[in-house]
Amino acid sequence: MPVVAGVPVKTFTVACAAALLTAACSGSTPTTTAAGPSTAPNRGSDVGVEYENTGTGPMVAPTVPTTPSVPTEMGVKQGNVRTFSLTASQFTQHIANFPLKTATVWGYNGSTPGPTLIAYAGEQIKVVVNNKLPEPTTMHFHGLHQPNADDGVSGISQPTPIPSGGTFDYGPFPVGHVGTFAYHSHFDGAVQDDRGLDGALIVLPTSEHQSVKAAVDVVMTLQQFDPPSEGGLVKPFGESGQFPFSTINGKTGDASRAAITIQRGDLVRIRIYNASNMVHSMHLHGHDEVLVDKNGHAVPAERQTTTTVAPGDFATIQFTADNPGNWLFHCHFPHHTANKMMAGYNGAPVGMLRIFHYDTAPAVPTAYFSSAHYASPTAMK
Amino acid sequence: MPVVAGVPVKTFTVACAAALLTAACSGSTPTTTAAGPSTAPNRGSDVGVEYENTGTGPMVAPTVPTTPSVPTEMGVKQGNVRTFSLTASQFTQHIANFPLKTATVWGYNGSTPGPTLIAYAGEQIKVVVNNKLPEPTTMHFHGLHQPNADDGVSGISQPTPIPSGGTFDYGPFPVGHVGTFAYHSHFDGAVQDDRGLDGALIVLPTSEHQSVKAAVDVVMTLQQFDPPSEGGLVKPFGESGQFPFSTINGKTGDASRAAITIQRGDLVRIRIYNASNMVHSMHLHGHDEVLVDKNGHAVPAERQTTTTVAPGDFATIQFTADNPGNWLFHCHFPHHTANKMMAGYNGAPVGMLRIFHYDTAPAVPTAYFSSAHYASPTAMK
Amino acid sequence: MPVVAGVPVKTFTVACAAALLTAACSGSTPTTTAAGPSTAPNRGSDVGVEYENTGTGPMVAPTVPTTPSVPTEMGVKQGNVRTFSLTASQFTQHIANFPLKTATVWGYNGSTPGPTLIAYAGEQIKVVVNNKLPEPTTMHFHGLHQPNADDGVSGISQPTPIPSGGTFDYGPFPVGHVGTFAYHSHFDGAVQDDRGLDGALIVLPTSEHQSVKAAVDVVMTLQQFDPPSEGGLVKPFGESGQFPFSTINGKTGDASRAAITIQRGDLVRIRIYNASNMVHSMHLHGHDEVLVDKNGHAVPAERQTTTTVAPGDFATIQFTADNPGNWLFHCHFPHHTANKMMAGYNGAPVGMLRIFHYDTAPAVPTAYFSSAHYASPTAMK
């Protein structure tokens, strides 16, 4: 059993291929000291290559996750170094359909959350940050074990932040352990993070057994915004204590334009990153959601109804598509599935929400993705 | 080991009979692949009958949980279908003793939370919802795996909600896995759920070993209300950001009228459902509370001081009554054990609280359950 | 396997000595029924002596934890009883560097949090509380299993609280299980706890194997304060819904004066106690933090990026110092690392934060610990 921080830490497999194909699932037993010194990979630092070599079937390339509504960035690979370029700036983004549509936010490459960065375990990454904001900024890599000089904490590990108009290179440094991570500003985070300066960073294995390959692998970054008016600059949480627009990947459910289509039998993986200022309780309708990874480390699989994520948390959940229909995935805080306390088409939840649509199910009513049908509930008039 | 959503999921026993009777506890070891294909029951869907067949001693009927302050509803059984009738309406409820006593809420059959529905694994349930509210509504079953047509999401899986004055039949559909679940409105949840349209739904095994039978089995649904004045209609959380009355089963601790009486040696089970809009941290005095089930699935038993539940979470905890006295069970957020920042008799906590009373202990001071003795603390005057 | 509250509960080792020295770590396998009746110690009550007798190497005295910014109190030992004296009063404390420095708080022996009390498993403790507050108070021991008469719940287990000017003796009662616990007022907690009437209580083993001895063992109590003006009496959370000063051990990061110095190779233990009114998400930069104990009970070691703690929670995390530099440990709620929405030197995070400084790393900029360099970020002007 590997020992980290003075304690033996159990390792668990991430996923075993075909659902209900129990016996063929290798490597699923926690390694114990009873078995002698463990041969499980060391997952405690980013210095070495490390990923879960489990599952069954031939070795294949993993599915590259997609991030609905947000670009994916693979960077430029030279030698073993993958280089990403991120420009921080202020811009207007479509965040909701009602009672307003747009907000002025801060983000990277014209999107908040910024593009999802993809790297492979064993590579080094370099991130070039170009600051077009009206004030200084820095970048921190959350959950990775970068050297202190690349930690990006303004005033501490990076005493002088990137000035407005300046550029800074983070890395190259190695990304060793497979998982879901993030990058975000670490200059005056109570303002810059709340305005949208964050994004997901996924470290994939170079190959994996066929059985652990997800048919659908989606990243969902949770944020909350408080624009004072149509197109207005979002206010940080600490000023208002309110987040009237709760979003996934920068958009409320009604503004997401389309459901995520899946097929019966699919292994569906959802990588949650809570970039907001509040705890959320993510609930999938019609299926159990199985927590398989928390904060960049595999955990013993646990079936859940809701998955609680605090600010800064990552959680990867999976489900097997076995109950056809149109199913919500949303935060179970009631007012996080409303836009400024208003519901959508026929009282439907909006806010921090996405819909999984089986290809055999009726289409989600198009009225849901429009503001045209909204009417204030009787009781609120 | 059963495989769910692509991963092997460990199964754990719910409870082994007599405390401290270690060796007699069968089935308590997590099934591992080392033991070959598991014979543990499939717990991943509601299609089949499924419950934890563990413990020792003869098979007996389980204790039917009670819900202090709230009715229990067994429904009407015909063939294998158990039918429940729930009427949603607006009414006045006694929620606290001070500084106000009543609020206008929305609930089912004249109670918020609505009656606790009891079914047995393997049955089908049918729920007839009669809408006497001033606006449309729907019903969702939280944590169960109903077919999409019974999912009750207004605007999505139920495009047309139940109009005011209308009726809708949900089900029959099978309830396969044993556990604590819930029902609630899924029309404009930020308003309807906050006003009280929710309740617990318990799926019991048809029989269980004597050793896992709880002497006391209580349901506690957590809610928070913000009535603007004596008897006023509660405001949704999103309007005020405040919940000045934190309740269990629709009443603050002072309004609960009586403690829950237990006896030394009892195995006491508490089924928590967080129907509120905030995280709570439920703490039992004088005993460890052992988490045995989360969100409808047994988990490895974990001794705790506080049990954190996010909105939409279920958690089942147990304790063995081994320390006589009068002991609080309450949320550890300080202002959730006050009514509008005011404490009870001699500064006692109120709000989200119940008291467990050993039958051999002195009676809880009756003044605690009255508003007569309240006085504002010096420092707050 | 020991059985508590009707369920078999796994026991886990707290820590095995030298990091990466896997095979030498004994006792690290959870006891299972497969191995027959367990001989693991009963950890379910405070009646007997109980601690984790794990690790390797000679038996040595454990490191006594320190609490940066807060006194440690070992009490007076007579026979098997350790007696502590705590005086509750109102006083002014340095809590931050900007935009204000001091607040009027309530605490014990002139400090909030009060002094960290140290006892050893198997001892009895007696706590003499002297009430110099302007109103009644009581004391509750959180996570311990004291007799009901020492539970300190005003109006219930202690019907008459300690009057202003009065004194009360709690105990002697046995402290049996090793862990991190707390004491706090249980009179009108929504006011008294929020003003600072709490502190940590650590129960140490009398001896432990060399390998589990931490080089650095620090207590961090989380609090939040809302002083209306320089030196003003802090307002309880329920009045404002805001906590503009988030602190560790009674001070924001900028007011902590100095980093915590560690050396490469150190096993560093952090004992977190959340005495505040909100959930926090504690994040360590540059290292995984390994959760080893929650709420006074060892848990299966879990590597994390953030550790979520709700009000009333204890969590013990460890890390091996293997990545030299200056590293933050802070709450990941963005506005909890700001003082009234203002950041520190060059936009550095302040608020609920401490810095771990490797002795080989450059000094943390002294400007960070001063208010002189603060400037409002451009965007907020």
Side-chain angles (χ1 to χ4, degrees):
Chain A
M1 196 179 304
V3 174
V4 176
V7 295
V9 173
K10 287 188 205 161
T11 58
F12 297 90
T13 65
V14 172
C16 290
L20 307 174
L21 210 160
T22 305
C25 197
S26 69
S28 55
T29 313
T31 311
T32 69
T33 54
S38 169
T39 57
N42 172 16
R43 305 165 62 252
S45 94
D46 281 342
V47 176
V49 177
E50 170 209 337
Y51 57 90
E52 302 286 349
N53 185 16
T54 60
T56 58
M59 295 302 281
V60 296
T63 298
V64 175
T66 57
T67 309
S69 315
V70 169
T72 299
E73 181 56 73
M74 305 292 294
V76 175
K77 184 96 181 272
Q78 276 198 312
N80 198 36
V81 177
R82 195 174 288 268
T83 300
F84 302 93
S85 294
L86 294 174
T87 297
S89 69
Q90 176 173 309
F91 50 88
T92 299
Q93 182 162 310
H94 171 218
I95 64 163
N97 282 347
F98 62 88
L100 55 73
K101 295 185 189 303
T102 63
T104 297
V105 297
W106 291 3
Y108 299 101
N109 297 0
S111 173
T112 179
T116 295
L117 310 184
I118 307 286
Y120 289 86
E123 295 179 347
Q124 301 215 10
I125 66 167
K126 177 180 167 182
V127 182
V128 180
V129 177
N130 188 5
N131 181 11
K132 301 288 192 198
L133 298 167
E135 65 177 30
T137 194
T138 65
M139 183 168 285
H140 172 66
F141 303 92
H142 180 54
L144 299 178
H145 299 165
Q146 57 276 358
N148 202 233
D150 294 316
D151 196 44
V153 178
S154 186
I156 309 293
S157 52
Q158 184 169 347
T160 305
I162 314 169
S164 183
T167 294
F168 192 87
D169 292 0
Y170 293 92
F173 59 82
V175 288
H177 61 285
V178 166
T180 303
F181 306 102
Y183 61 90
H184 62 74
S185 161
H186 225 299
F187 178 93
D188 197 11
V191 174
Q192 295 201 350
D193 291 14
D194 276 5
R195 286 200 171 134
L197 289 171
D198 38 54
L201 191 165
I202 313 293
V203 181
L204 295 173
T206 50
S207 66
E208 63 188 8
H209 287 289
Q210 176 67 44
S211 68
V212 303
K213 181 166 178 150
V216 176
D217 191 327
V218 289
V219 180
M220 296 201 186
T221 294
L222 316 181
Q223 297 170 303
Q224 292 175 297
F225 298 111
D226 184 10
S229 58
E230 177 65 41
L233 179 63
V234 296
K235 293 186 288 185
F237 175 75
E239 286 188 9
S240 68
Q242 295 294 321
F243 277 125
F245 293 90
S246 297
T247 64
I248 292 177
N249 297 339
K251 295 181 187 304
T252 59
D254 51 299
S256 65
R257 297 178 191 277
I260 300 168
T261 298
I262 59 177
Q263 293 186 304
R264 189 167 193 155
D266 279 354
L267 174 62
V268 183
R269 187 173 292 148
I270 307 172
R271 301 166 184 262
I272 304 167
Y273 164 44
N274 185 354
S276 83
N277 224 317
M278 302 184 84
V279 173
H280 299 290
S281 188
M282 303 308 294
H283 170 53
L284 176 67
H285 282 218
H287 309 71
D288 284 330
E289 52 194 60
V290 181
L291 180 73
V292 294
D293 193 284
K294 190 93 190 278
N295 291 326
H297 291 296
V299 294
E302 191 177 327
R303 277 186 286 194
Q304 310 197 86
T305 300
T306 55
T307 297
T308 303
V309 280
D313 271 354
F314 313 105
T316 299
I317 58 175
Q318 297 182 174
F319 69 96
T320 299
D322 61 2
N323 195 0
N326 293 310
W327 300 102
L328 304 189
F329 179 68
H330 68 89
C331 179
H332 212 277
F333 285 66
H335 72 296
H336 294 180
T337 50
N339 294 353
K340 263 199 136 172
M341 289 301 295
M342 295 176 183
Y345 166 67
N346 263 349
V350 288
M352 192 169 280
L353 179 142
R354 283 295 179 279
I355 300 172
F356 286 96
H357 163 72
Y358 281 68
D359 59 356
T360 55
V364 175
T366 55
Y368 176 75
F369 297 110
S370 159
S371 59
H373 294 265
Y374 174 74
S376 181
T378 307
M380 296 295 290
K381 276 176 185 163
Chain B
M1 194 180 304
V3 173
V4 176
V7 296
V9 173
K10 287 190 204 158
T11 57
F12 296 90
T13 64
V14 173
C16 291
L20 306 174
L21 210 161
T22 304
C25 198
S26 69
S28 54
T29 313
T31 310
T32 70
T33 54
S38 170
T39 57
N42 172 16
R43 304 166 61 253
S45 95
D46 282 342
V47 177
V49 177
E50 172 207 336
Y51 56 89
E52 302 286 351
N53 185 17
T54 59
T56 58
M59 296 301 280
V60 295
T63 298
V64 175
T66 57
T67 308
S69 314
V70 169
T72 299
E73 181 56 71
M74 306 292 293
V76 175
K77 184 94 181 273
Q78 277 196 311
N80 198 36
V81 177
R82 194 174 289 269
T83 300
F84 302 93
S85 294
L86 293 174
T87 298
S89 69
Q90 175 174 309
F91 49 89
T92 298
Q93 182 162 309
H94 172 217
I95 64 163
N97 281 346
F98 62 89
L100 56 73
K101 295 184 189 303
T102 63
T104 297
V105 296
W106 291 2
Y108 298 101
N109 296 2
S111 173
T112 179
T116 296
L117 311 185
I118 307 286
Y120 289 86
E123 293 179 346
Q124 302 216 9
I125 65 166
K126 176 179 167 184
V127 181
V128 180
V129 177
N130 188 3
N131 181 11
K132 300 288 192 197
L133 298 167
E135 65 178 29
T137 194
T138 64
M139 182 168 287
H140 172 65
F141 303 92
H142 181 54
L144 298 178
H145 297 167
Q146 56 275 358
N148 202 235
D150 294 317
D151 197 43
V153 178
S154 186
I156 309 294
S157 52
Q158 185 169 348
T160 304
I162 315 170
S164 182
T167 294
F168 192 86
D169 291 0
Y170 293 92
F173 59 82
V175 288
H177 62 284
V178 165
T180 304
F181 306 102
Y183 61 91
H184 62 74
S185 161
H186 225 300
F187 177 94
D188 196 11
V191 174
Q192 295 201 352
D193 291 15
D194 276 6
R195 286 200 169 135
L197 288 172
D198 40 54
L201 191 165
I202 313 293
V203 181
L204 295 173
T206 48
S207 65
E208 63 189 5
H209 286 289
Q210 175 68 43
S211 67
V212 303
K213 181 166 179 150
V216 176
D217 192 326
V218 288
V219 179
M220 295 200 186
T221 294
L222 315 181
Q223 297 169 303
Q224 291 175 298
F225 298 110
D226 184 10
S229 58
E230 177 66 41
L233 178 63
V234 296
K235 293 186 287 184
F237 174 75
E239 285 189 10
S240 68
Q242 295 295 321
F243 278 125
F245 293 89
S246 298
T247 64
I248 292 178
N249 296 341
K251 296 180 186 304
T252 59
D254 52 298
S256 65
R257 300 180 190 276
I260 300 168
T261 298
I262 59 176
Q263 292 185 306
R264 190 168 193 155
D266 279 353
L267 174 62
V268 183
R269 187 173 293 150
I270 308 172
R271 300 167 185 261
I272 304 168
Y273 165 45
N274 184 353
S276 84
N277 223 316
M278 304 185 82
V279 173
H280 299 290
S281 188
M282 303 308 295
H283 170 53
L284 176 67
H285 282 219
H287 310 71
D288 284 331
E289 53 194 59
V290 181
L291 180 72
V292 294
D293 192 285
K294 191 91 187 282
N295 291 327
H297 292 296
V299 295
E302 191 177 327
R303 276 186 287 194
Q304 309 198 87
T305 300
T306 54
T307 297
T308 303
V309 280
D313 270 354
F314 312 104
T316 299
I317 57 176
Q318 298 182 173
F319 70 94
T320 300
D322 62 3
N323 195 0
N326 293 310
W327 300 102
L328 304 190
F329 179 68
H330 68 90
C331 179
H332 212 276
F333 285 65
H335 72 296
H336 294 179
T337 51
N339 294 352
K340 264 198 134 171
M341 288 301 294
M342 295 176 184
Y345 166 66
N346 265 346
V350 287
M352 194 170 277
L353 180 142
R354 283 295 179 280
I355 300 172
F356 285 97
H357 163 72
Y358 281 69
D359 59 354
T360 56
V364 175
T366 54
Y368 175 74
F369 297 110
S370 158
S371 60
H373 294 264
Y374 174 75
S376 180
T378 308
M380 296 295 290
K381 278 176 185 164
Chain C
M1 195 181 303
V3 174
V4 176
V7 297
V9 174
K10 287 188 204 158
T11 57
F12 297 90
T13 64
V14 172
C16 290
L20 307 174
L21 210 161
T22 303
C25 199
S26 69
S28 54
T29 312
T31 310
T32 70
T33 54
S38 168
T39 56
N42 171 15
R43 305 165 61 253
S45 94
D46 281 343
V47 177
V49 177
E50 170 209 337
Y51 56 90
E52 302 285 351
N53 185 17
T54 60
T56 58
M59 296 302 281
V60 295
T63 298
V64 175
T66 57
T67 309
S69 315
V70 170
T72 299
E73 180 57 72
M74 306 291 293
V76 175
K77 184 94 180 275
Q78 276 198 312
N80 197 36
V81 178
R82 196 173 288 270
T83 300
F84 303 94
S85 294
L86 293 173
T87 298
S89 69
Q90 175 173 308
F91 50 89
T92 298
Q93 183 161 309
H94 172 216
I95 64 162
N97 281 349
F98 62 88
L100 56 74
K101 295 184 188 302
T102 62
T104 296
V105 296
W106 291 3
Y108 299 101
N109 296 1
S111 174
T112 180
T116 296
L117 310 185
I118 307 286
Y120 290 86
E123 294 178 346
Q124 303 215 9
I125 65 167
K126 176 180 168 182
V127 182
V128 180
V129 177
N130 188 3
N131 181 10
K132 299 290 191 197
L133 297 167
E135 64 178 30
T137 194
T138 65
M139 183 168 285
H140 172 67
F141 303 93
H142 181 55
L144 299 178
H145 299 166
Q146 55 277 357
N148 202 234
D150 293 316
D151 196 44
V153 178
S154 185
I156 309 292
S157 51
Q158 185 170 347
T160 304
I162 315 170
S164 182
T167 295
F168 191 87
D169 292 0
Y170 293 91
F173 59 81
V175 286
H177 62 283
V178 165
T180 304
F181 306 101
Y183 61 90
H184 62 75
S185 161
H186 225 298
F187 178 93
D188 196 12
V191 174
Q192 295 201 351
D193 291 14
D194 276 4
R195 286 199 170 135
L197 289 172
D198 39 55
L201 191 165
I202 313 293
V203 180
L204 295 172
T206 49
S207 66
E208 62 189 7
H209 286 289
Q210 177 67 44
S211 68
V212 302
K213 181 166 179 152
V216 175
D217 192 326
V218 289
V219 180
M220 296 201 186
T221 294
L222 316 181
Q223 296 170 304
Q224 291 175 297
F225 298 111
D226 184 9
S229 59
E230 177 66 40
L233 179 63
V234 296
K235 291 186 288 185
F237 174 76
E239 286 189 8
S240 68
Q242 294 295 321
F243 278 124
F245 292 90
S246 298
T247 64
I248 293 177
N249 296 340
K251 295 181 188 302
T252 59
D254 52 298
S256 66
R257 298 179 190 278
I260 300 168
T261 299
I262 60 176
Q263 293 185 305
R264 191 168 191 153
D266 279 354
L267 174 62
V268 183
R269 187 173 294 150
I270 307 172
R271 302 167 185 261
I272 304 167
Y273 165 44
N274 185 354
S276 84
N277 223 317
M278 302 185 84
V279 173
H280 299 290
S281 187
M282 303 308 295
H283 171 54
L284 176 67
H285 282 219
H287 309 71
D288 283 330
E289 51 194 60
V290 181
L291 180 72
V292 294
D293 193 285
K294 191 92 188 280
N295 291 327
H297 292 295
V299 294
E302 190 177 330
R303 277 186 285 194
Q304 310 198 86
T305 300
T306 53
T307 297
T308 304
V309 279
D313 270 355
F314 312 104
T316 299
I317 57 176
Q318 297 183 174
F319 69 95
T320 300
D322 61 3
N323 195 1
N326 294 309
W327 300 101
L328 304 189
F329 179 68
H330 68 89
C331 180
H332 212 276
F333 285 65
H335 73 295
H336 294 178
T337 51
N339 294 351
K340 261 197 137 171
M341 288 300 294
M342 295 177 183
Y345 166 67
N346 265 347
V350 288
M352 194 170 278
L353 180 142
R354 282 295 180 280
I355 299 171
F356 285 97
H357 163 72
Y358 280 69
D359 60 355
T360 56
V364 176
T366 54
Y368 175 75
F369 298 109
S370 159
S371 59
H373 294 264
Y374 173 76
S376 181
T378 307
M380 296 294 291
K381 275 175 185 164

